[in-house]
Amino acid sequence: MVELKTDTAIDAMHEAGQVVARVLTALSKAADVGVCLLELDGLARDLLREEGATSPFLGYRPSFAPTPFPAVLITSVNDAIVHGIPTRYRLRDGDLLSLDFGAELNGWVGDSALSMIVGRPRPADVRLIETAERALAAGIEAAVVGNRIGDIAHAVGTVCREAGYGIPDGFGGHGVGRRMHEDPSVPNEGRPGRGMRLRAGMVLAIEPMVIAGGTDGYHAAGDGWTLRTDDGSRAAHVEHTVAITEAGPRVLTQR
Ligand code: MG
Ligand code: MG
């Protein structure tokens, strides 16, 4: 069931979304060559506490997961697409790092992700991240009253495919509200004009994931959480929480 949010609720979700935005900005500045992924998770915990917010990630256990998620931050490096658990790994020059972060404030959740390059960028990685960001922008542009879920999915998927990238099937966006994952699901590929009609008050996480090698395959790493590309190529992941309003899409996690 899809819960429509009031304007007041959307304002409250914007507050939660801005906590996420501020923390992601701070994390992206802190992520540098030699920094350990667990240090980033520790910084995220400190910032959450300062903001008076809590983590919807910590202890989260969806049906596919073998263990509760042990961190407040997701760190997916290079061939990791999403769901990377922070480890002692120290970031290296040229790493492609995706940070996915959520916050719960006053009972409302915000969810957002960015991809970045640590140190000196490779042109291919720059293009990959720029494409994911363009796909996200296209998805947000399609998140308007009267469109359908398939229009968002089609907008996202078209940008990724036209660039020649793969799209991991089975993972994508979702409704957001008092819980991190609500109905409906928002696939990263689909047919225009299909699926649920978009209405004012829907709040959706739109989150393109792109695989540089152009194939769609992925597998869970040994920790049961981290999803890695089958072809070993790098992946990018970006995400915003977006409210659909009569005045157009409102990006609640805008940095
Ligand atoms: Mg997320
Ligand atoms: Mg999400």
Side-chain angles (χ1 to χ4, degrees):
M1 212 193 85
V2 174
E3 187 206 352
L4 298 180
K5 277 76 177 178
T6 63
D7 289 347
T8 309
I10 290 173
D11 285 342
M13 291 190 70
H14 180 252
E15 293 299 312
Q18 287 306 295
V19 171
V20 175
R22 286 191 289 274
V23 174
L24 275 175
T25 297
L27 291 170
S28 66
K29 286 179 183 160
D32 209 344
V33 175
V35 171
C36 167
L37 299 178
L38 279 171
E39 289 169 21
L40 294 178
D41 184 59
L43 175 58
R45 287 178 195 243
D46 290 345
L47 294 172
L48 261 183
R49 202 176 307 117
E50 282 172 24
E51 296 273 6
T54 56
S55 173
F57 289 14
L58 187 65
Y60 187 66
R61 191 176 180 182
S63 55
F64 66 80
T67 52
F69 196 75
V72 303
L73 175 67
I74 285 171
T75 54
S76 304
V77 181
N78 296 338
D79 66 327
I81 309 166
V82 286
H83 302 165
I85 296 177
T87 63
R88 294 180 194 282
Y89 177 82
R90 289 194 182 277
L91 291 165
R92 295 177 189 168
D93 190 36
D95 275 349
L96 196 169
L97 172 67
S98 298
L99 298 172
D100 190 348
F101 182 72
E104 184 176 333
L105 183 73
N106 299 320
W108 295 101
V109 171
D111 184 12
S112 182
L114 61 80
S115 284
M116 60 177 285
I117 295 153
V118 177
R120 282 167 296 186
R122 303 180 191 178
D125 293 340
V126 173
R127 180 174 173 269
L128 185 69
I129 293 171
E130 281 176 356
T131 302
E133 288 171 346
R134 266 197 302 121
L136 176 57
I140 292 168
E141 203 173 309
V144 294
V145 174
N147 262 1
R148 292 178 182 270
I149 289 287
D151 294 306
I152 298 176
H154 179 71
V156 169
T158 300
V159 171
C160 302
R161 291 295 185 199
E162 281 180 353
Y165 296 135
I167 300 172
D169 185 26
F171 287 92
H174 48 90
V176 188
R178 293 202 174 271
R179 288 174 302 121
M180 182 166 55
H181 289 139
E182 297 187 349
D183 287 338
S185 65
V186 185
N188 284 329
E189 196 162 33
R191 295 171 65 182
R194 296 297 183 95
M196 185 181 293
R197 195 174 286 281
L198 304 179
R199 296 166 62 189
M202 289 173 74
V203 180
L204 306 174
I206 302 173
E207 48 182 311
M209 302 161 196
V210 286
I211 298 175
T215 60
D216 298 350
Y218 60 88
H219 59 276
D223 61 20
W225 271 98
T226 312
L227 297 185
R228 295 191 182 280
T229 62
D230 279 349
D231 64 13
S233 70
R234 293 185 165 191
H237 172 224
V238 295
E239 174 180 28
H240 273 308
T241 298
V242 181
I244 294 167
T245 78
E246 293 294 352
R250 182 179 176 194
V251 182
L252 304 181
T253 47
Q254 189 70 57
R255 292 185 296 278

